[in-house]
Amino acid sequence: MIRKRALQTREKLVGKLPVTGELLRGSLLERTVRHKSGCPKCARGEGHQVHVLTVSYAGGRVRQFSVRRERVAEVRRWLENYQKLKDAIEAICEFNHDLLRPDAAVPRGRKKRD
């Protein structure tokens, strides 16, 4: 019975997977850039707000991508889709771990006595 419920729950999770090409891994950062000279805004200490997507790779390598202001909402949505997919995959894996365990209802083999 436990196995049947786990399979049903797993199937519900699979049905809710956000399967889409709009996935993005990384972190969106907001930074302030200040020019050294010649910019009145920077001279006042305000600087310029920029958005940067940072993505970490194996071996400690990090790539950074500048994101235009008009694409920030889109990038946030893609990052959220990735996180939802990752969470759903983790939940499915946990159910699969449960499915690997022997059922309590199934009698186990007896140990031999010497």
Side-chain angles (χ1 to χ4, degrees):
M1 193 57 132
I2 294 172
R3 180 177 176 78
K4 188 175 180 179
R5 272 188 284 158
L7 286 169
Q8 289 172 342
T9 305
R10 182 181 71 177
E11 289 307 310
K12 284 181 186 177
L13 285 170
V14 169
K16 292 180 182 179
L17 286 176
V19 179
T20 176
E22 295 181 346
L23 298 169
L24 197 55
R25 184 175 63 86
S27 298
L28 187 63
L29 306 176
E30 190 173 320
R31 294 190 174 152
T32 302
V33 176
R34 292 183 176 86
H35 300 103
K36 291 186 180 186
S37 63
C39 177
K41 191 172 185 178
C42 293
R44 291 190 305 268
E46 296 174 28
H48 305 273
Q49 295 295 318
V50 295
H51 290 88
V52 179
L53 175 72
T54 63
V55 183
S56 299
Y57 293 96
R61 203 179 73 201
V62 177
R63 288 192 64 192
Q64 296 185 357
F65 303 89
S66 295
V67 178
R68 292 181 177 271
R69 186 174 296 122
E70 61 269 11
R71 303 219 43 205
V72 169
E74 178 183 37
V75 168
R76 283 193 176 121
R77 188 177 70 248
W78 290 5
L79 289 167
E80 186 177 321
N81 287 345
Y82 174 82
Q83 195 59 49
K84 285 179 183 176
L85 180 60
K86 185 178 173 185
D87 292 345
I89 289 170
E90 288 298 322
I92 290 168
C93 288
E94 288 301 315
F95 279 105
N96 287 340
H97 292 158
D98 291 341
L99 291 171
L100 290 174
R101 294 186 182 105
D103 277 345
V106 177
R108 297 185 184 177
R110 294 183 182 172
K111 292 184 181 180
K112 291 184 179 180
R113 289 190 162 181
D114 291 328

